[in-house]
Amino acid sequence: MKAVRFHEYGEPSVLRYEDVEQPTPGAGQVRVRVAATSFNGVDANIRGGFMQGPIPVTLPHTPGIDVAGTVDALGDGVTGVQAGDQVIGFLPMTGPGAAAEYAIAPAEVLAPAPKSIPLADAAALPIVGLTAWQALFEHAALTAGQRVLINGAGGAVGGYAVQLAKRAGAHVIATAGPRSAERVRAAGADEVIGHDTTVVTEPVDAVLNLAPVAPEQLAALVPLIRDGGVLVNTTVWMPAPADEKRGVRGVNMYVRSDAEQLARLAALVDDGELRVEVAERVPLAELPALHASAAAGTLPSGKVVVLAPTA
């Protein structure tokens, strides 16, 4: 089969589009005929060798944490999924990914793919959708009537976070740049302000930071939070600030795979309550160029889906 792998850490040029042996599922695993994966920033960090401590991988390594595809073969002991099922999943970061024609996945991480959108486009949902869901409802415990500030709402996670927070009945304030402001507003934000604005009309109950801001910019968000509120930070290379005197918590968030939550997100897509947006679709052979675009800062806002070769 065709796959993209890197045999050593380094720049995007270490990625190779090559022929590799088709994998065989082990106990508790399934093989998925990949429709698509997607690009995530962590893929580039792993490839560059910056995550060898928290996310050790075996070289050569196939990137691609998100997967959307069709179950092709079952390993021993697999229940609840059958060959022919269309599925999505957030694959283990330390294992081989889905930038290939076929991928191995633990059966327990897979959820039924939404039926109302193309299967390949569903690869844009798992990791970013789960990040938004867990940030809002596990860590911030967001409820109807609360006010939430989503900092950096113009990216892929932000698009889902705005939709989910609005659906939950919150008042959503979003920061976004000129290129993404209209899209964020269309996602349901009640207020859209510029990145350089740290003024809100009244305090918020929660801040969700999705932007790679400087520590002092992140700290400037804390006074906007009412007593007893929370700041959830997804840029975990920088500790989340807090204000213990006022009971404002700072949470450093690490997304985890959760098939039940992913199934709920897929159901929301099929119910028309959550929109999956794809900024661009590129063939698997162009994944090295996609990594180069990311390194150059020229990726489009939103999610880029990487299409596996079709038979």
Side-chain angles (χ1 to χ4, degrees):
M1 69 172 188
K2 291 292 187 182
V4 171
R5 303 193 298 178
F6 56 89
H7 295 247
E8 61 275 336
Y9 297 110
E11 299 297 320
S13 58
V14 301
L15 291 166
R16 304 181 193 173
Y17 184 59
E18 58 190 11
D19 290 307
V20 302
E21 187 176 345
Q22 193 178 104
T24 301
Q29 298 178 327
V30 304
R31 185 173 64 206
V32 176
R33 177 63 169 94
V34 178
T37 184
S38 76
F39 176 79
N40 291 286
V42 69
D43 290 320
N45 288 329
I46 293 172
R47 183 215 72 232
F50 306 118
M51 306 295 288
Q52 294 182 55
I55 309 175
V57 299
T58 300
L59 299 179
H61 177 70
T62 304
I65 300 164
D66 291 314
V67 66
T70 304
V71 174
D72 170 76
L74 307 179
D76 291 341
V78 171
T79 59
V81 64
Q82 298 178 356
D85 286 353
Q86 292 189 335
V87 294
I88 54 175
F90 171 14
L91 300 178
M93 292 190 185
T94 55
E101 291 185 83
Y102 292 87
I104 297 297
E108 63 188 14
V109 309
L110 298 175
K115 297 178 174 59
S116 58
I117 62 173
L119 179 58
D121 284 2
L125 180 62
I127 189 170
V128 288
L130 288 170
T131 299
W133 181 278
Q134 292 168 17
L136 292 171
F137 304 121
E138 290 189 358
H139 299 295
L142 190 71
T143 57
Q146 291 189 319
R147 292 167 55 84
V148 59
L149 172 62
I150 300 173
N151 190 47
V157 176
Y160 290 117
V162 169
Q163 292 183 73
L164 291 169
K166 188 63 181 173
R167 178 184 173 274
H171 181 90
V172 181
I173 307 163
T175 71
R179 289 192 306 164
S180 56
E182 202 52 48
R183 189 175 74 253
V184 169
R185 193 172 285 109
D190 297 286
E191 302 176 44
V192 180
I193 59 179
H195 288 303
D196 56 351
T197 304
T198 54
V199 177
V200 295
T201 54
E202 59 182 274
V204 298
D205 298 280
V207 167
L208 171 54
N209 180 60
L210 307 171
V213 296
E216 58 270 18
Q217 292 173 299
L218 188 60
L221 299 175
V222 174
L224 307 179
I225 304 171
R226 70 173 76 253
D227 293 1
V230 60
L231 186 152
V232 181
N233 179 40
T234 64
T235 55
V236 293
W237 60 84
M238 168 173 55
D243 185 341
E244 294 182 2
K245 291 182 179 179
R246 297 194 300 113
V248 175
R249 295 180 298 120
V251 176
N252 294 304
M253 184 196 156
Y254 299 84
V255 65
R256 72 177 195 286
S257 185
D258 189 306
E260 183 178 341
Q261 290 178 357
L262 193 52
R264 293 175 71 179
L265 290 167
L268 290 176
V269 173
D270 282 339
D271 290 342
E273 297 188 49
L274 187 66
R275 187 171 65 254
V276 173
E277 290 192 354
V278 176
E280 189 177 351
R281 300 167 184 85
V282 302
L284 179 62
E286 294 181 16
L287 184 58
L290 182 62
H291 274 243
S293 294
T298 57
L299 279 186
S301 298
K303 201 71 173 160
V304 178
V305 163
V306 181
L307 304 173
T310 55

